[in-house]
Amino acid sequence: MAWTREEAKKLAEKVFSYSKAPECEVWLDATQAGHTRFAANDVTTSGSARDLTIAIVSRGDGRTGTVRVNDTDAAALKIAVARSEEVMAAANVDPEWVDGLPPQKYPEIRAAHGATMKAGAPERKNGVEKALDLARGRKLVASGFSETTARWAALANKKGNFGFSWSTSAEFSTTMRTDDGTGSGWAGLEAPDLSSIPAEELARRAAKKGEDSAKPRELPPGRYTVVFEPRAVADLLGNLNAVMSRRAADEGRSFFSKPGGGSRIGEKIFSENVTIRSDPFDPRVPGRPWIGGAGGGFLGFGGFAGGNFAGLPARKTTWIEKGVLRNLTIDRYWAKKIDEEPLPLSGGIVMDGGKGTVEDLVAGTDRGLLLTRFWYIRTVNPQTVALTGLTRDGVWLIEKGKVVGPVNNFRFNDSPVNLLKNMEVMSAAVSTGDMVVPAIRSRDFNFTSKSDAV
């Protein structure tokens, strides 16, 4: 299954030999994945899958046609190329057309571990077994997922641009519920290396949360000081990253728009302790060497091509520095329009943290809430980054620096903007798998109603 750089390049050259369009691109995404799923204190499924997506993009005269195929046979590729050209000919002219990229210099990002690529059910068994043994011993009901994935990716075009990468990832997560159904705890982590995931520690954390959140008391909705654990911080910040567009700001369609025109770049918007960057080279959350991929959406830009960011090299960029907005993403079309360089949002979102732990943040809280994570988050108003969603897997009341007991879950209506504006203190930053973020204590977070979720 494993692909080499030479094999990917040979495939692209074969596709180009069939192409008659002025421009042609090939995006390859191959994955080899295995999983072990458990529920009701027992393993329910274990399996593996291999997948291959080859996106063939014909381009010319302002038109684009795309066909995806999962067959490397010459006849199948020839048919796919012909169909992509038929789609291109039938398409409307794109008013925001940009030419294909010339050869780019893609960075080397080390995100592959051979042992993780080769891992199967026996290698995943250890973490799953410890979680199940722990749950049974403490009369909890455990469910969860352990997965390993290896990915090979390539992109190429007729102009001589070419890139190749391979990476691995592993994930373990578990939910532990009390047998009376009133308490639920969750913990999980994703990392490039399976051996770096502390499955037993995560299971213990989930078990404690499950026990400690049982039989919650009722607490009315309202505005509270909240200690957000790192997973909850990442849940909210992901929605802020998705709206950091220079074009939307310049056109007056964004929270980052300046009244009267232009963007708010250079303004202090958040707490002075807030510094956020994208760093695809961070080994805790490595990104791809380029933007886009054949297999699906990437960082909110959607689709294999990643819009007009497609194929741009990944780079380290500071977006917010000490509360000041320093940069917004610029796609290739908008870059040409405003005469600036394109600026993509690469993988590996990192927020600088402070010192200490979640427990230290709790100890400094006179009265507030401690929460584990959010789920079912939806956008309410993109222009203010207003969101709604639910808390899940543990909410606790804090009084005079101590957790005094579990409370009901809530629906919230608020924004990550306010989270960062009203931030009081942070813990040290840790990896959540998709980001590196601290726990945050922030005031006046708006909970609008109680939720029956557990």
Side-chain angles (χ1 to χ4, degrees), residues 207-352:
K208 186 176 188 308
K209 283 180 174 291
E211 293 168 338
D212 291 349
S213 64
K215 296 180 173 62
R217 71 163 108 168
E218 286 202 7
L219 196 69
R223 291 187 176 274
Y224 288 88
T225 293
V226 178
V227 175
F228 300 85
E229 292 195 3
R231 180 64 264 167
V233 172
D235 290 339
L236 293 181
L237 286 191
N239 291 273
L240 179 64
N241 296 334
V243 300
M244 295 187 69
S245 161
R246 173 70 178 275
R247 178 177 183 176
D250 288 346
E251 293 180 339
R253 300 183 287 109
S254 166
F255 168 77
F256 299 108
S257 298
K258 182 184 293 186
S263 74
R264 300 176 68 183
I265 290 176
E267 289 187 25
K268 186 174 182 181
I269 300 176
F270 307 107
S271 165
E272 64 181 13
N273 294 322
V274 175
T275 295
I276 298 175
R277 63 187 180 275
S278 54
D279 186 357
F281 306 100
D282 191 307
R284 295 169 293 182
V285 284
R288 279 190 179 182
W290 56 80
I291 307 302
F298 182 68
L299 287 170
F301 296 128
F304 74 91
N308 280 336
F309 293 92
L312 290 172
R315 54 184 288 188
K316 183 177 178 179
T317 306
T318 297
W319 304 101
I320 302 166
E321 183 177 30
K322 296 182 179 179
V324 177
L325 180 65
R326 293 297 184 195
N327 288 292
L328 292 169
T329 64
I330 308 173
D331 69 28
R332 294 178 61 214
Y333 168 77
W334 200 246
K336 186 176 181 180
K337 196 173 182 70
I338 63 176
D339 195 25
E340 292 194 23
E341 290 295 315
L343 183 59
L345 176 61
S346 305
I349 300 298
V350 179
M351 178 176 177
D352 288 352

Side-chain angles (χ1 to χ4, degrees), residues 141 354 368 396:
V141 181
W396 295 268

Side-chain angles (χ1 to χ4, degrees), residues 23-45:
E23 294 189 26
C24 185
E25 300 171 357
V26 176
W27 296 74
L28 178 145
D29 193 78
T31 57
Q32 175 180 299
H35 75 273
T36 302
R37 186 186 296 271
F38 55 101
N41 287 352
D42 208 349
V43 173
T44 56
T45 61

Side-chain angles (χ1 to χ4, degrees), residues 181-217:
T182 66
S184 179
W186 175 92
L189 183 62
E190 181 181 351
D193 183 6
L194 176 62
S195 67
S196 70
I197 295 181
E200 186 173 10
E201 177 187 331
L202 293 170
R204 285 198 300 267
R205 191 186 308 168
K208 186 176 188 308
K209 283 180 174 291
E211 293 168 338
D212 291 349
S213 64
K215 296 180 173 62
R217 71 163 108 168

